[in-house]
Amino acid sequence: MTDWDPSQPILEIENLSISFFTRLREIPAVMDFSCTVMPGEAMGLVGESGCGKSTVALAVMRDLGVNGRIVSGTIKFKGRDLTTMGQDELRKLRGSEIAMIYQEPMASLNPAMKVGRQLMEVPMIHQGMGKTEARALARQLVADVRLPDPDRILQAYPHQLSGGQQQRIVIAMALMSRPALLILDEPTTALDVTVEAGIVDLVNALAEKYGTSMLFISHNLGLVMEVCNRITVMYSGEAVETGDITDVFARMRHPYTQALFRSIPLPGADKTTRPLRAIPGNFPLPHERPPGCNFGPRCDYFEAGRCDAADIAMRPVEGDSRHASRCLKFDEIDWNAPVPVTPRGEDGLIGDVVLRMEDVRKYYEVAASSLFSGGDSKVVKANETLSFDAREGETLAIVGESGCGKSTFAKVLMGLETATDGKIMLFDENVQSTPIQYRNTDTVSSLQMVFQNPFDTLNPSMTVGRQIIRALEIFGIGRSDSERRQRMLELLDLVKLPREFADRMPRQLSGGQKQRVGIARAFAGNAKVVVADEPVSALDVSVQAAVTELLMDIQRKNRTTLLFISHDLSIVRYLSDRVMVMYLGHVVELGTTDQVFAPPYHPYTEALLSAVPIADTRIEKKRIVLEGDIPSAMNPPSGCPFQTRCPWKVRVPGDLCEREVPPMRILEGGHQIKCHLDDAELAGMDPVFRVAAE
């Protein structure tokens, strides 16, 4: 590799086409893809699921499996073509010169081997390093990725670490041999937003320290903006736009890039006056791509006879460095024209209280040794004194990191668990100690849930229509099969699915379509309160916008109370009326959306907000990265539950934060904050977001 000139690209992909071969046909996954990464550069690869992002990454690693094949084009790494290399040469490159970090950290870790041993293997295999030297390097890298107590971590097995810690170990493993190119495939998707912020900071710092170039794959535009300096947008197997982050975000020149930005809730989006705009139509299957422009059937600027006449090549955008677009009309479109959106008009008035929780606690008792059920039992305090109410037609968002008690609260409310203490009033009935099997049909039908993963909630051997009819039968709706079938078809209309979908099986539906079926089933019994547990986090951004709009349309029509559980504060800001912030089983802040998203904040809310990636070059953001993980609910800290991670703790005199749980304080306008900070400190807080001066 000594003949490579460092002023040349480290990775140069030219006109790459990749196909997968099945018994029936050749399926083209990537066509005519070109991308250049210079030394020290971070290139973001974005697009919806199925667009070919991960296929490109696997092609660079030459790991396409038995069915995948590079049909044409070249992939040059440091000037050498990877597509013509033999297995021995590739083996020397992988892990030493080129490393890859996958979405799921446990897929890269051996569960039966200690972390230290796994890290040491990399330099021992690739560089012939001795054991003592490899161990010292492993310890240094564990410290570099900001893990506490490196000696303990090296002696741990992967299952003894949290998800964020596992991902840091995988990053350390990838960096053990100081690779020149690091490929990251959705490395933070499974992590909390606060952990994600720490990983992003870490990746940026390490890339700078070691001079590593990056190919960063994500569907999160805000995250790409924080990590990368260049971006390539993919749609249906093709690169449709590429350029500098600022050029593409501020002066986009492809209709698909524009449509993506219109479907994500940036600051300024408003559910009544400036609603999100979902991309019309569906993503084309690889063997059903249209002639000409792949995005043509969904494009606002499509021109028949021109856009569908022939394949379209990438063209440079004048005035910008290395900015190109795969659009025939990009210099004819008025990119500054206002978004053609029809305002919805005012939301309906929020009505009376339909759900009230008073001092609800949920404790679990677990044996000290769950394997042998011996020893003293321990208590997991999942929810501590939850108190709030929800009104008719209102959207109350519940936010917080994994392990804060959001899902436990949902299970207790649904009757899947019973509360240890407190009152849950649904209309005029106390359902706190009534499991779901003993609740009457009216209670069950009026309180429903939409789950995070649409794939797990549908019966794979039952048609869509039958699954909805089954819910109607349970709720006692309709006097005959024909009445129930008619109601089922109306529910499909309600969730904007074609009626012919009634005869389809779940496997024939996309993720967004499955989620719509889940929503139709939840509303089958005219639900009055719907708990939506992360209902859009598994979906692409464009599908996310459509499902979010659908939930709000149904809410307006049915006057439903929506409890929206989420860790995505961008979507929460967009659709909620009030926000409840939870930490380690406690409600630490509760107020209207405007109150929670503006100072004064609870210190935890402030950190949550600062961790949200925002895909807007005009927004300046305060950066707060929380140290450490959420403490265990089995062994919570004394005093304030947040005191072990709180950056504001030094402002509170003495050891008050460590001794006493703060009282819930009611500020102006009914805004509630559980914190020991005095009024002057709260009043002096700066906003997390501000619009940068032009």
Side-chain angles (χ1 to χ4, degrees), residues 2-109:
T2 50
D3 54 349
W4 175 66
D5 176 1
S7 67
Q8 295 302 303
I10 196 154
L11 179 71
E12 195 171 12
I13 303 173
E14 285 187 348
N15 309 114
L16 180 69
S17 293
I18 303 165
S19 289
F20 288 90
F21 292 84
T22 68
R23 280 177 298 182
L24 291 176
R25 60 169 79 90
E26 174 188 351
I27 298 172
V30 173
M31 296 94 63
D32 187 34
F33 178 86
S34 298
C35 163
T36 304
V37 182
M38 300 300 286
E41 202 167 64
M43 169 67 83
L45 210 52
V46 301
E48 296 170 279
S49 303
C51 72
K53 307 185 296 290
S54 297
T55 305
V56 168
L58 292 171
V60 174
M61 296 298 286
R62 290 290 311 279
D63 185 23
L64 288 168
V66 289
N67 295 339
R69 200 176 307 157
I70 294 170
V71 180
S72 62
T74 58
I75 304 171
K76 288 181 180 170
F77 173 72
K78 289 189 172 180
R80 294 174 62 196
D81 191 350
L82 297 174
T83 61
T84 59
M85 273 189 193
Q87 283 303 317
D88 287 344
E89 283 182 289
L90 286 167
R91 212 170 283 124
K92 284 176 192 165
L93 277 182
R94 289 191 200 115
S96 59
E97 290 268 347
I98 307 173
M100 186 160 175
I101 296 168
Y102 295 90
Q103 182 170 346
E104 176 47 62
M106 278 308 283
S108 311
L109 295 171

Side-chain angles (χ1 to χ4, degrees), residues 176-196:
M176 281 295 284
S177 56
R178 311 276 158 86
L181 177 67
L182 186 59
I183 301 171
L184 302 100
D185 189 0
E186 302 266 14
T188 60
T189 302
L191 304 178
D192 275 312
V193 68
T194 48
V195 181
E196 179 179 86

